[in-house]
Amino acid sequence: MSRPWPLPDKPWIMHQTWNDLLFAHWPIPVELLRPLLPPQLPIDTFNGSAWIGVVPFHMSGVRARGTPSLPYFSAFPEINLRTYVSITGKPGVYFFSLDAFHRAAVESARFAFHLPYLYAHIEVQVRDLHTVHYKSIRKDKRAKQGDFIGVYRPTSEISLAAPGTLDYWLTERYCLYCVDRRGQVFRGEIDHQPWPLQSAEASIEVNTLAQSFGIELPNISPILHFSKTIHVKIWLLDPLSLS
């Protein structure tokens, strides 16, 4: 199984390893989400519904191309709140927020990638190899308080999502979209192997990330996936002309 479009014809600039990742997804009506996204970005849907994802994980091996991983900069936890958009046939991710426990990474990513990174105090404990205790408390005044406290674990063997399924639609996305203060839309390409997914269970004690952006999640159990490790390459942003 391969990525749905060719790799960019320029070198990647950053490598990251994402570890002990949970995908927690809720459906949400498009009309409720539309006012909260930049108008330039078409919302992507599956069977007529938009989706909100909360994705906690921790990174390692963060490095620029051609450089080694440095101890302070190469590993830190992150949790993001996301939905999905698609432009010119390339489905991608739109981030409402990316909370990270690394002040330098937060400010660098806000500047270089126009992404809404925020500083949070995050604690991650992995017990018995697979049970993840995750606590994120936002400490950034640039957004309302949004926290996540929960425990999650995989409950199945690893499998790859089949194209055309909701599991594939939610996870197999090879770019992100963002909009700068002038309204310019950018696409950022990423690459990785197909997600090694497992079904998951989670006990979520606190989850106010969506609420901090005026999004009320439905009172239903989320769709959950776990992935132990994936290696990711990242490219510089490309400005898009949508006229």
Side-chain angles (χ1 to χ4, degrees):
M1 190 182 301
S2 60
R3 56 181 288 121
W5 60 83
L7 287 169
D9 57 1
K10 57 185 179 182
W12 55 270
I13 63 162
M14 183 180 294
H15 171 275
Q16 300 176 352
T17 301
W18 299 347
N19 306 288
D20 298 305
L21 181 146
L22 177 72
F23 290 106
H25 280 106
W26 292 261
I28 187 167
V30 175
E31 60 269 21
L32 296 183
L33 199 59
R34 180 67 274 174
L36 304 177
L37 268 70
Q40 307 95 313
L41 299 181
I43 296 175
D44 202 4
T45 62
F46 189 92
N47 288 342
S49 181
W51 289 78
I52 289 289
V54 172
V55 183
F57 62 105
H58 59 100
M59 284 195 279
S60 59
V62 178
R63 62 178 179 85
R65 186 184 181 95
T67 66
S69 297
L70 300 175
Y72 173 71
F73 293 98
S74 65
F76 53 91
E78 179 178 313
I79 183 169
N80 60 63
L81 177 70
R82 56 197 262 178
T83 190
Y84 303 105
V85 300
S86 184
I87 297 177
T88 61
K90 290 187 175 183
V93 177
Y94 173 79
F95 293 103
F96 288 100
S97 63
L98 307 96
D99 291 54
F101 191 26
H102 195 301
R103 291 188 185 276
V106 164
E107 301 307 325
S108 297
R110 291 182 71 94
F111 175 78
F113 288 94
H114 306 296
L115 290 174
Y117 265 87
L118 298 166
Y119 180 72
H121 185 275
I122 304 176
E123 300 174 7
V124 184
Q125 295 182 355
V126 182
R127 302 176 185 174
D128 303 323
L129 296 180
H130 296 297
T131 301
V132 183
H133 294 248
Y134 204 100
K135 181 178 181 180
S136 176
I137 306 298
R138 184 176 291 160
K139 300 292 185 179
D140 198 313
K141 295 181 179 179
R142 288 171 291 199
K144 293 181 180 179
Q145 193 67 26
D147 306 327
F148 179 92
I149 302 173
V151 180
Y152 57 89
R153 62 182 63 83
T155 58
S156 72
E157 298 298 318
I158 294 172
S159 63
L160 302 181
T165 63
L166 177 59
D167 292 351
Y168 185 95
W169 187 92
L170 290 171
T171 59
E172 293 295 336
R173 291 177 177 262
Y174 293 84
C175 68
L176 62 87
Y177 292 97
C178 59
V179 180
D180 70 8
R181 294 180 179 179
R182 300 171 299 168
Q184 172 66 57
V185 177
F186 293 87
R187 178 190 288 133
E189 298 274 359
I190 68 171
D191 187 55
H192 51 74
Q193 294 296 312
W195 278 101
L197 294 176
Q198 296 172 265
S199 298
E201 62 183 16
S203 175
I204 300 175
E205 179 182 345
V206 176
N207 179 21
T208 57
L209 288 168
Q211 188 177 0
S212 72
F213 290 93
I215 302 167
E216 292 297 331
L217 297 176
N219 187 26
I220 59 174
S221 298
I223 293 177
L224 302 173
H225 299 92
F226 177 89
S227 191
K228 184 64 178 177
T229 301
I230 199 164
H231 301 284
V232 182
K233 295 182 176 68
I234 298 170
W235 277 258
L236 281 173
L237 296 176
D238 293 313
L240 301 182
S241 177
L242 304 182
S243 57

